[in-house]
Amino acid sequence: MVERHLVAYRRMWLIIVSGFFEPLFYLLSMRLGVGRLVGDVTVGGRPVTYVEFVAPALMATSAMNGAIYDSTGNVMVRLRQMHLYDGVLATPMTPADVAVGDIGWALLRGQLYAASFLVVMTAMGLVHSWSALLTLPASAAVGLVFAALGFTATSYMRGWPDMDWVTVATMPMLMFSATFFPVEAYGRWRWAVNLSPLYHGVAMIRSLAAGVWAWSMLIHVAVLVVLAVVAVVVAARRIDRLLRA
Amino acid sequence: MAAATDDLLIEARGLTKRFGEFEAVRGIDLAVHRGELFGFLGPNGAGKSSTMRMIAAVSPVSGGTLRIFGLDPRTHGPHIRGRLGVVPQLDTLDQELSVEENLRIYGRYFDLPRAECRRRTAELLEFARLSDRAGSVVDTLSGGMKRRLSIARSLINRPELLLLDEPTTGLDPQARHLLWDRLYRLKQEGVTQVLTTHYMDEAEQLCDRLVVIDEGRIVAEGSPRQLITQYSTREVLELRFPARDGSASTAELADQLGGVGSRQEALADRVLIYADDGEHALGEVHRRQLRPDSALVRRATLEDVFLQLTGRSLVD
């Protein structure tokens, strides 16, 4: 499955590259503008500049975006327009193979964005700790969760108009996952932030990038892993229901 | 394994398929042997495609037993599918890949080594007469080319059993004849084939043996020749009479022709007389002082059998 996408996307590299620029432009605007207006922020008791604060969150966001792009719109086309999966299920491949393959691909795309983002962060001098390398597995977890959630959501969609729900879900997540300001700022709505899968990714990647360790990171990992496993299982079931009646 | 069971590729007993309340397949018994070209004939919605999807180990069986290669599709789905080739009713070609990549990547779904996929792809492009279009994107192919590519793709795993769901629907005569030629070549190479169609000439040309399905049941079974002998006469006499008012008149004419041939059928615009000797029946018509505008004696075809068995009214 993954091999198929590699071959298919050889012709569509521009689409892939373009997705990487969105969070990058966000970051540049933060550095040039907002970063000068806003003072330092503390992460795990350590003060960091605002750009250093936002960058890891945008890295998590780019992993989310890459995974979501591929697991929603593209899956929709493969499922409803190209009937790609019908052809694949006529071979020894099972619905679980299809789900794992396509979620894996979407995860890879998210990972590609996250990794390029990490390179840019390093080049801009925003990374100070070797633990920043661990942001890669962390962003993979973010990608996996969103790839699987996107895939599952898409399987419930009846047509393109339903696609707008993806934006309805991801836009507030980008705004309210402690992305642009610390979780303390949410006051008594702080609990709600915990409902966003992106928040757990942001919190984890931020700590790793700053080289700060805390027990709460284990909780974030657990949330992401549990969500991912559940979503993959549901996704495989949905393919089975939809295509093997 | 005993030779007899090894030879039996598909075996179904009391096979049923339900979609909620609706029963699409209502108890079918089947046996398809190695080397056969077996046909499912039936009007739209008769249950042909549902049966094919169950045989393809894609759609779960609702009732009865089904064995493919002697195996249960419920427990051996991937293994069975690995030995099958499937040409679906609607092309499921990969529109984001070129012709050549479509074949090569499909082979990878069967876990064939890359080099082997490449080798077979070149062979199959030749077989499907698509070598000069190898680099084209699927969308730019004509309907006939797409069908040929679908068939080529279904052969990438060298299947023992090929399932073709309405392989020539929507194709022009040239494309159909080329496709028939390819299917015939496969048959000579020993590939067992099961096809559904509602083209009678196709069934008559290609199938060794066929079943007629109507409303989810098998209503007749045999070779095309056997079915014609059993359900029709050797010849059919078609009579067109000068236009009068309405269809009641053809019914009256049919009454007046009672006893001519073995059976008479009144259609809206003509009367059909089923007889073993059409010319003799025509003489009898003239003796009864009836003067048709035109009279045509032709050989009975599978179409006559089909319409007799499944009726002339539109089923949709």
Side-chain angles (χ1 to χ4, degrees):
Chain A
M1 210 73 229
V2 169
E3 189 176 334
R4 180 253 164 215
H5 299 322
L6 265 180
V7 173
Y9 278 95
R10 239 180 254 162
R11 249 178 255 107
M12 295 184 269
W13 59 271
L14 189 66
I15 299 173
I16 295 212
V17 172
S18 68
F20 159 70
F21 283 101
E22 191 187 319
L24 183 65
F25 287 147
Y26 266 106
L27 183 63
L28 286 175
S29 80
M30 294 298 160
R31 188 187 169 103
L32 294 174
V34 187
R36 293 192 187 150
L37 303 175
V38 183
D40 287 358
V41 187
T42 55
V43 173
R46 182 184 303 182
V48 296
T49 67
Y50 184 64
V51 178
E52 283 168 330
F53 173 78
V54 170
L58 289 176
M59 178 177 170
T61 307
S62 69
M64 169 180 89
N65 282 344
I68 285 281
Y69 289 152
D70 227 284
S71 64
T72 55
N74 290 344
V75 166
M76 185 78 147
V77 172
R78 291 174 204 145
L79 184 66
R80 308 262 180 204
Q81 269 158 264
M82 289 193 352
H83 301 286
L84 176 72
Y85 300 138
D86 294 272
V88 174
L89 289 178
T91 73
M93 304 267 283
T94 63
D97 292 334
V98 169
V100 167
D102 264 22
I103 290 168
W105 170 254
L107 154 73
L108 277 180
R109 184 161 167 189
Q111 194 63 352
L112 181 72
Y113 291 168
S116 338
F117 205 83
L118 183 61
V119 171
V120 172
M121 279 166 63
T122 313
M124 286 168 79
L126 301 174
V127 175
H128 308 294
S129 163
W130 280 106
S131 67
L133 276 178
L134 290 174
T135 58
L136 287 177
S139 66
V142 174
L144 179 60
V145 168
F146 282 101
L149 286 177
F151 193 99
T152 305
T154 304
S155 73
Y156 283 99
M157 291 179 192
R158 293 148 299 173
W160 285 105
D162 286 348
M163 217 35 135
D164 288 348
W165 289 106
V166 174
T167 321
V168 169
T170 53
M171 199 60 199
M173 252 189 261
L174 171 63
M175 293 301 163
F176 302 111
S177 293
T179 324
F180 298 109
F181 36 90
V183 70
E184 290 76 21
Y186 292 86
R188 62 195 185 88
W189 290 101
R190 191 179 164 164
W191 60 270
V193 178
N194 280 299
L195 297 180
S196 157
L198 182 59
Y199 164 66
H200 298 283
V202 166
M204 197 157 63
I205 293 179
R206 182 170 284 149
S207 304
L208 289 169
V212 177
W213 299 91
W215 284 110
S216 63
M217 287 166 71
L218 287 179
I219 297 171
H220 298 315
V221 174
V223 169
L224 290 175
V225 168
V226 169
L227 252 178
V229 170
V230 171
V232 170
V233 171
V234 176
R237 283 220 187 127
R238 286 293 301 166
I239 283 288
D240 198 61
R241 283 273 308 271
L242 283 176
L243 299 179
R244 306 194 356 140
Chain B
M1 203 182 282
T5 56
D6 193 39
D7 224 33
L8 195 58
L9 296 195
I10 304 174
E11 189 185 19
R13 287 219 189 87
L15 184 64
T16 61
K17 180 71 197 181
R18 275 182 302 275
F19 297 102
E21 292 290 288
F22 174 67
E23 202 168 26
V25 179
R26 308 176 183 193
I28 279 184
D29 297 319
L30 275 182
V32 176
H33 298 269
R34 194 178 292 279
E36 263 190 314
L37 211 162
F38 185 88
F40 283 106
L41 219 60
N44 291 333
K48 301 187 299 281
S49 294
S50 298
T51 308
M52 287 291 258
R53 282 171 58 80
M54 286 191 279
I55 295 173
V58 168
S59 171
V61 171
S62 306
T65 58
L66 178 64
R67 293 287 176 276
I68 317 293
F69 309 121
L71 301 168
D72 187 345
R74 246 179 294 230
T75 49
H76 291 79
H79 178 89
I80 292 171
R81 292 196 296 273
R83 294 165 67 181
L84 284 180
V86 179
V87 180
Q89 193 172 348
L90 299 170
D91 288 315
T92 58
L93 296 168
D94 198 324
Q95 290 148 37
E96 289 175 350
L97 300 181
S98 72
V99 168
E100 180 264 338
E101 287 163 351
N102 252 286
L103 295 173
R104 197 155 50 81
I105 295 294
Y106 209 70
R108 296 288 295 147
Y109 295 144
F110 288 91
D111 215 11
L112 299 170
R114 284 191 186 83
E116 184 61 26
C117 287
R118 252 173 238 284
R119 197 159 43 238
R120 291 188 190 183
T121 296
E123 265 174 44
L124 289 170
L125 284 173
E126 200 60 42
F127 172 82
R129 299 234 310 239
L130 287 168
S131 298
D132 50 335
R133 299 299 298 269
S136 305
V137 178
V138 169
D139 256 348
T140 62
L141 300 182
S142 71
M145 289 175 173
K146 283 185 191 168
R147 290 316 270 170
R148 258 144 55 208
L149 179 56
S150 281
I151 292 180
R153 191 182 73 168
S154 72
L155 296 172
I156 195 85
N157 59 328
R158 304 231 166 103
E160 293 162 59
L161 173 62
L162 188 59
L163 305 176
L164 304 122
D165 200 354
E166 297 190 12
T168 63
T169 299
L171 297 186
D172 65 29
Q174 285 84 353
R176 287 179 74 196
H177 280 279
L178 179 57
L179 219 63
W180 286 351
D181 173 63
R182 298 293 119 146
L183 296 183
Y184 190 71
R185 260 177 57 181
L186 286 173
K187 178 179 154 59
Q188 285 178 318
E189 287 166 20
V191 179
T192 311
Q193 295 171 57
V194 175
L195 68 86
T196 73
T197 182
H198 42 226
Y199 292 127
M200 303 307 135
D201 52 342
E202 183 161 295
E204 226 169 320
Q205 284 252 353
L206 291 175
C207 297
D208 300 318
R209 207 155 59 83
L210 52 90
V211 290
V212 180
I213 301 193
D214 194 25
E215 293 179 352
R217 287 194 186 85
I218 292 180
V219 290
E221 181 173 1
S223 72
R225 238 9 300 158
Q226 280 171 347
L227 288 174
I228 292 169
T229 321
Q230 189 177 348
Y231 292 96
S232 186
T233 48
R234 206 168 67 84
E235 291 183 328
V236 179
L237 170 62
E238 296 202 14
L239 300 171
R240 243 172 236 283
F241 286 93
R244 298 186 204 170
D245 20 31
S247 61
S249 56
T250 53
E252 282 165 28
L253 281 165
D255 282 344
Q256 291 174 39
L257 288 167
V260 183
S262 51
R263 191 164 63 86
Q264 306 80 38
E265 187 177 9
L267 303 182
D269 59 337
R270 67 216 139 104
V271 178
L272 302 189
I273 295 187
Y274 297 89
D276 283 327
D277 184 344
E279 290 297 338
H280 180 83
L282 182 58
E284 180 61 30
V285 170
H286 286 140
R287 260 194 298 286
R288 294 194 184 185
Q289 306 298 321
L290 292 167
R291 295 280 170 270
D293 268 356
S294 67
L296 169 74
V297 176
R298 58 169 175 82
R299 247 186 69 202
T301 66
L302 213 44
E303 188 143 342
D304 299 307
V305 175
F306 184 77
L307 290 173
Q308 152 118 39
L309 287 169
T310 62
R312 286 193 185 266
S313 59
L314 207 55
V315 269
D316 289 338

